[in-house]
């Protein structure tokens, strides 16, 4: 029997029968291989998602990989049988922001797979074929299920524009932080520092290319060219900014809880810091991620620690929020 996870509302979910929706014109039907759980899925389940950024009842799941089973009219039949991942933002394609390639800022309003549109915690997912990115035939679909968070970090790396020989740093040691290390390493930095609260991540950080690892309680330098922040904790942005030289470049990706410490505007102006933020991934970041993954420069598999069936959704949500250092990326396998 085909199944799906349905979140009725905050704290309420069920495992339900799933009937694949045949693709209409411009759409594709994908057989889901694996779907990742992240903090935003936990927000949806707990009811902490900001107003307007979730619509109940909902089948969650925005990090996924799969294989195309069928396509609708006006979609190339050559897509059938191909391994794919897909963008989440359902942009209008006609507003100024979409024409500029900034689809995560679509002025038609927020719509995203797994938050306001049916997600991938189901046997199949039907979505606009234009959102798909085709993977190499030999791609590992379990690893590919992590390409959505990787694409968000690719967007940060593109904005950071780290040049070969620059000194770069990452604040945060979760899934996003470890992807940031890999993207920055690919640019041949002179030094790559990772700062986090989990000393157990030091070995993995260095395996991905970090040259140094420090906790926030240790003495930290203040002369880096580029810093990508991925932690999302209350003080992470200030920690990241403190690592920069004058004129350095900062990219923030974490979303802390309300009341977090803000950046000091005097410090930003006096040191002429360049600050960017990232919310989701536009098409160019997705394309870059798929290319880097296909070239073997991105290795998501060491980040996966748990794989569960769909009916393991409650356990997966608890694992993600447990704070257990042994818990990395949690996947559901429809």
């Amino acid at each position: 029997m085909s199944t799906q996870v349905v979140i009725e509302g905050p704290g309420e979910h069920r495992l339900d029968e799933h009937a694949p929706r045949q693709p209409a014109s411009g759409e594709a039907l994908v057989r889901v291989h694996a779907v990742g759980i992240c903090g935003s899925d936990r927000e949806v389940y707990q009811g902490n998602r900001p107003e307007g950024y979730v619509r109940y009842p909902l089948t969650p799941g925005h990090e996924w990989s799969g294989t195309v089973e069928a396509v609708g009219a006006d979609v190339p039949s050559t897509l059938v049988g191909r391994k794919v991942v897909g963008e989440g933002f359902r942009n209008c394609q006609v507003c100024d922001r979409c024409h500029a390639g900034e689809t995560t800022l679509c002025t038609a309003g927020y719509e995203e797979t797994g938050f306001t549109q049916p997600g991938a915690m189901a046997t199949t997912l039907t979505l606009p074929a234009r959102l798909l990115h085709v993977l190499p035939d030999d791609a590992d679909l379990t690893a590919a299920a992590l390409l959505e968070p990787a694409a968000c970090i690719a967007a940060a790396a593109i904005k950071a524009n780290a040049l070969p020989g620059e000194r770069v740093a990452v604040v945060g040691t979760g899934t996003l932080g470890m992807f940031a290390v890999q993207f920055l390493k690919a640019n041949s930095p002179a030094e790559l520092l990772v700062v986090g609260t989990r000393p157990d991540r030091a070995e993995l950080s260095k395996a991905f290319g970090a040259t140094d690892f420090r906790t926030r309680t240790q003495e930290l330098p203040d002369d880096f060219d580029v810093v990508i922040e991925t932690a999302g904790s209350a003080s992470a942005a200030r920690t990241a900014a403190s690592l920069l030289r004058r004129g350095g470049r900062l990219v923030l990706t974490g979303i802390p809880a309300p009341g977090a410490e803000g950046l000091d505007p005097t410090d930003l102006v006096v040191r002429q810091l360049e600050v960017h933020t990232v919310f989701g991934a536009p098409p160019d970041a997705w394309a870059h991620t798929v290319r880097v993954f296909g070239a073997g420069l991105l290795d998501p598999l060491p980040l996966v620690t748990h794989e569960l069936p769909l009916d393991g959704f409650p356990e997966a949500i608890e694992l993600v929020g447990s704070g257990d250092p042994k818990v990395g990326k949690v996947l559901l396998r429809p």
Side-chain angles (χ1 to χ4, degrees):
M1 181 184 73
S2 295
T3 56
Q4 63 183 344
V5 173
V6 178
I7 299 178
E8 291 284 359
E12 301 179 26
H13 84 283
R14 69 177 191 274
L15 198 66
D16 206 353
E17 291 188 20
H18 170 72
R21 182 173 70 80
Q22 293 305 306
S25 177
E27 293 185 323
L29 171 68
V30 176
R31 174 73 53 176
V32 178
H33 173 82
V35 54
I37 305 280
C38 84
S40 55
D41 295 306
R42 186 174 168 84
E43 287 177 353
V44 169
Y45 183 63
Q46 293 182 327
N48 299 327
R49 187 80 172 163
E51 186 177 355
Y53 288 86
V54 64
R55 186 180 302 131
Y56 301 105
L58 173 71
T59 294
H62 60 286
E63 305 177 2
W64 58 269
S65 64
T67 303
V68 177
E69 281 205 341
V71 295
D74 301 318
V75 178
S77 60
T78 52
L79 268 181
V80 176
R82 298 304 303 271
K83 296 177 179 179
V84 294
V85 290
E87 299 175 32
F89 284 80
R90 306 292 185 92
N91 51 83
C92 74
Q93 295 187 289
V94 297
C95 72
D96 288 345
R97 297 278 60 80
C98 284
H99 281 308
E102 299 172 334
T103 54
T104 61
L105 300 176
C106 178
T107 60
Y110 172 78
E111 294 287 345
E112 186 177 4
T113 300
F115 295 106
T116 63
Q117 296 290 331
M121 290 188 196
T123 309
T124 67
L125 172 66
T126 303
L127 74 166
R130 61 183 172 80
L131 299 178
L132 297 178
H133 289 263
V134 177
L135 302 171
D137 290 337
D138 61 353
D140 185 321
L141 282 176
T142 300
L146 278 70
L147 292 188
E148 191 277 341
C152 294
I153 293 302
I158 291 170
K159 289 189 175 186
N161 191 30
L163 302 175
E166 287 193 309
R167 301 178 69 239
V168 301
V170 175
V171 174
T173 55
T175 298
L176 297 182
M178 294 300 96
F179 279 136
V181 172
Q182 295 182 63
F183 275 111
L184 290 174
K185 174 62 177 177
N187 288 335
S188 302
E191 185 176 346
L192 205 176
L193 169 68
V194 175
V195 177
T197 58
R198 292 178 51 180
D200 61 293
R201 283 291 202 178
E203 184 177 343
L204 185 59
S205 297
K206 291 179 179 179
F208 283 144
T211 57
D212 191 11
F213 180 95
R214 302 188 192 185
T215 65
R216 296 186 196 179
T217 59
Q218 294 176 288
E219 183 178 353
L220 298 176
D222 60 1
D223 56 356
F224 278 75
D225 300 293
V226 170
V227 178
I228 295 179
E229 177 276 324
T230 68
S233 61
S235 60
R238 286 206 173 196
T239 298
S242 72
L243 295 170
L244 287 167
R245 62 165 173 82
R246 293 191 69 199
R249 307 188 298 282
L250 172 63
V251 186
L252 305 175
T253 71
I255 303 177
E261 298 177 9
L263 296 176
D264 181 354
T266 300
D267 180 59
L268 295 179
V269 173
V270 170
R271 293 204 289 140
Q272 298 185 69
L273 300 183
E274 184 179 322
V275 181
H276 297 273
T277 60
V278 167
F279 178 66
D284 63 338
W286 272 97
H288 179 56
T289 300
V290 170
R291 284 195 301 270
V292 172
F293 177 65
L297 298 174
L298 198 65
D299 186 10
L301 274 182
L303 301 174
V304 178
T305 59
H306 295 76
E307 297 183 49
L308 303 169
L310 274 185
D311 59 11
F313 172 75
E315 181 183 351
I317 288 292
E318 289 303 314
L319 284 169
V320 169
S322 68
D324 185 342
K326 295 180 181 179
V327 177
K329 196 65 185 178
V330 179
L331 301 181
L332 295 181
R333 296 289 298 272

